[in-house]
Amino acid sequence: MKPFEPSRPQDEVIQRPVMETLRQRIASWQQHATIIGGRYQSGKSVATQEALRGVRGVVRFTIRSADWADRMCKQLGVDDEGLFKEVMRRVPEKLKDFPNNLTKCPILLLEVPRTTTEGINLISSTAKDVATDKIGSAIHVIVSASSAAVALAFDAGGTERQEDIWVGDLTEEEAKEFLALHGHEKNWRDFVDACGLRIGDLVKACENLKKGISLNDTKQEYRRFATAEAVGFMELQVHPKLNGRQMSQELLKVYPEGMPEVFNSIRILLGSLPN
């Protein structure tokens, strides 16, 4: 019942519209899993955790292995999934003591690092099970997956059982505010021109500059990464979701000079991408 505390201090986080979207989703939730999607290092984890700041009734667990469900139960001090559900059924009654809490339901936040390769199939089935539990209180499952493939492959039983929330790149104003926190309020435009608007890229550029690596060198490095991403997104064999194409469209915006050739080389018609 303690207020949820994100990993990053609040004064290091810029407020983004997607955080309010997440808060509204949490406040109005009705038995649907929530999947947080977006490009790698787009700020999904930070946005999700910030939306949950101060919320009571949240269980956070990082999935790292195939036996993650057993490990989660052990971390919570319960013997099995049945006892886990029983504990979570009692949360709504406890939350009545906090009438101003953002939600009246328990929340299970599952974070999936990019390096996780096992136990992923269990995430969808678990979310489908506990989010629509008819025996007692349902649990709002929020999945924040670093890997695009995990987010795309997630299926809690169709669109009527899950909702996807997209965390895109920063706006220019958000990038300016973020770079000001890192002491680059005067030359923020140079960073955006070199790196685009993905927050992870801007963080890395700030770190590179401290190491003596120029913005131009960083730009060339990111261009190679973007080319690899473009190929990877369009090779994802998950249909008919739009996420892979949406990611590709963002790459086209950031690197308009080079990406068309990359997409054409893998036989993707640019006209089929969303505007």
Side-chain angles (χ1 to χ4, degrees), residues 17-264:
V18 70
M19 296 173 184
E20 182 57 30
T21 298
L22 283 164
R23 293 186 187 103
Q24 292 177 7
R25 165 69 174 160
I26 293 165
S28 61
W29 179 75
Q30 293 182 342
Q31 296 192 344
H32 291 71
T34 301
I35 316 305
I36 314 300
R39 293 172 61 200
Y40 175 56
Q41 292 191 338
S42 62
K44 297 183 292 296
S45 294
V46 172
T48 303
Q49 291 183 26
E50 189 61 27
L52 288 169
R53 185 183 292 275
V55 177
R56 300 175 189 270
V58 179
V59 172
R60 173 188 175 192
F61 187 77
T62 301
I63 296 175
R64 302 186 187 279
S65 59
D67 61 344
W68 67 265
D70 292 337
R71 289 177 177 270
M72 179 181 68
C73 290
K74 184 177 180 180
Q75 177 178 300
L76 294 173
V78 296
D79 293 334
D80 52 39
E81 186 177 334
L83 285 176
F84 168 74
K85 288 183 179 180
E86 180 58 35
V87 170
M88 296 300 269
R89 287 187 189 113
R90 301 182 184 185
V91 173
E93 189 65 29
K94 295 290 184 180
L95 287 177
K96 291 180 181 179
D97 295 334
F98 308 97
N100 295 326
N101 197 56
L102 188 62
T103 179
K104 306 303 180 186
C105 303
I107 293 174
L108 174 59
L109 172 60
L110 297 177
E111 297 182 328
V112 189
R114 193 176 180 86
T115 55
T116 300
T117 58
E118 299 180 316
I120 293 174
N121 292 338
L122 183 60
I123 301 174
S124 296
S125 59
T126 299
K128 179 180 178 181
D129 180 29
V130 302
T132 57
D133 184 3
K134 303 300 183 183
I135 300 176
S137 172
I139 304 169
H140 185 180
V141 179
I142 301 177
V143 180
S144 178
S146 181
S147 168
V150 173
L152 286 168
F154 187 92
D155 183 7
T159 56
E160 72 278 4
R161 291 180 180 269
Q162 71 184 67
E163 180 169 328
D164 298 294
I165 294 180
W166 182 263
V167 179
D169 291 349
L170 301 176
T171 64
E172 287 197 348
E173 283 302 313
E174 290 168 347
K176 183 177 180 180
E177 180 182 352
F178 172 77
L179 288 165
L181 293 176
H182 290 262
H184 298 290
E185 62 273 15
K186 294 183 178 179
N187 63 335
W188 67 272
R189 170 59 66 181
D190 294 336
F191 281 82
V192 171
D193 289 344
C195 310
L197 293 166
R198 183 168 62 171
I199 193 167
D201 294 341
L202 295 174
V203 170
K204 184 65 179 298
C206 291
E207 294 174 350
N208 282 352
L209 204 60
K210 291 180 179 179
K211 298 175 182 177
I213 302 173
S214 71
L215 284 177
N216 185 62
D217 288 341
T218 297
K219 180 178 181 178
Q220 298 305 315
E221 179 184 6
Y222 286 169
R223 182 63 173 276
R224 292 191 295 272
F225 289 160
T227 297
E229 278 189 300
V231 175
F233 292 153
M234 301 312 293
E235 287 179 347
L236 290 174
Q237 300 298 311
V238 183
H239 301 286
K241 285 193 175 183
L242 191 63
N243 298 54
R245 292 177 180 272
Q246 188 169 354
M247 291 176 179
S248 301
Q249 187 65 44
E250 291 191 7
L251 283 171
L252 282 169
K253 292 178 182 179
V254 176
Y255 299 100
E257 297 177 0
M259 287 302 100
E261 290 80 1
V262 176
F263 286 114
N264 287 337

